[in-house]
Amino acid sequence: MPDQPIRRKRMTAERWVELLTTALDVMREVGYEALTMEAVAVRARCSKATLYRIWRGKPQMIVAALYATRRVDTGAIDTGTLRGDLLALCGQLVADVQRDTELLAALAHAVLIDPELASAMRTSLVEPESAALDGFVDRAVQRGELAARPAAAEFLPQLMFVALMARPLTEGAFLDMDYATRYIDLVIMPALLTNCPVVPPSFES
């Protein structure tokens, strides 16, 4: 009857994940710039209005998809040592490295030209992961592994991101645990164990 409210089916958790996974599948095929809500709706067998009822637009949908389907749980890592925490994180990254590398590569250009996407990714993904990495360092200071918070800790998120993204470009291979272990032992740990900031050289004669 016209005066009765329309009842909508409640979306199940399985259907929610299916929508988000479909969005990522379409993005991998066509790229972020060419991705449309309509294309996702067609592939997911739902109406475009359904997607817009859940997400304001494409940036929010993709960030939600990245968050919901992520395999890495940095906040749950606590091995008792700083090196162990970093190795455990790399173990999670390696478990699904090809998928994650491809997704980040697909978004790399879009983040530069879409401020809304960049903001959503920083708020929902980058900042929580950076906070968890800060926790690694803070616990190391509390345990006495580090005498104080090192200056290099500011760049720890960037260093971990480089480990994931740079190897396909420089060596034509994805991150693996052998590479990750050497990277942590030869690059990250020496940087964090050095508490004195680097003094730039003087150019005065």
Side-chain angles (χ1 to χ4, degrees):
M1 298 293 293
D3 59 344
Q4 291 180 336
I6 298 174
R7 291 185 177 181
R8 296 191 179 98
K9 290 183 179 180
R10 179 173 295 180
M11 187 175 293
T12 65
E14 290 77 12
R15 179 57 172 160
W16 176 274
V17 173
E18 181 184 358
L19 287 179
L20 295 172
T21 302
T22 299
L24 294 182
D25 288 342
V26 175
M27 185 183 73
R28 273 196 292 265
E29 293 175 12
V30 304
Y32 179 82
E33 289 86 350
L35 176 72
T36 64
M37 300 289 271
E38 183 176 6
V40 175
V42 170
R43 179 76 64 87
R45 303 180 307 282
C46 69
S47 69
K48 188 166 61 172
T50 296
L51 299 181
Y52 277 111
R53 279 198 300 269
I54 305 172
W55 300 288
R56 187 171 74 246
K58 181 169 67 171
Q60 292 74 29
M61 178 179 66
I62 289 300
V63 171
L66 292 170
Y67 184 86
T69 61
R70 74 197 191 286
R71 273 73 163 183
V72 176
D73 187 4
T74 312
I77 296 174
D78 188 356
T79 65
T81 68
L82 176 57
R83 181 179 182 272
D85 289 349
L86 294 171
L87 286 173
L89 173 57
C90 286
Q92 292 188 8
L93 293 173
V94 166
D96 210 8
V97 65
Q98 183 169 345
R99 168 191 175 273
D100 291 341
T101 304
E102 290 174 349
L103 287 173
L104 291 172
L107 289 168
H109 180 255
V111 168
L112 296 177
I113 63 174
D114 189 332
E116 190 174 9
L117 173 65
S119 176
M121 288 193 66
R122 280 194 297 270
T123 301
S124 299
L125 297 171
V126 176
E127 291 175 3
E129 292 301 316
S130 295
L133 287 172
D134 281 342
F136 289 5
V137 176
D138 291 340
R139 289 197 302 268
V141 173
Q142 292 168 5
R143 288 190 296 258
E145 289 181 81
L146 300 174
R149 183 175 179 81
E154 175 186 354
F155 303 101
L156 184 54
Q158 293 92 321
L159 288 170
M160 296 305 299
F161 180 77
V162 167
L164 181 65
M165 294 299 297
R167 197 181 188 205
L169 176 64
T170 60
E171 299 184 21
F174 290 109
L175 182 72
D176 57 38
M177 280 309 297
D178 177 67
Y179 182 93
T181 301
R182 288 185 289 116
Y183 182 73
I184 287 170
D185 287 342
L186 299 176
V187 178
I188 294 182
M189 287 303 296
L192 294 176
L193 290 170
T194 302
N195 289 294
C196 297
V198 176
V199 178
S202 173
F203 292 98
E204 295 180 2
S205 57

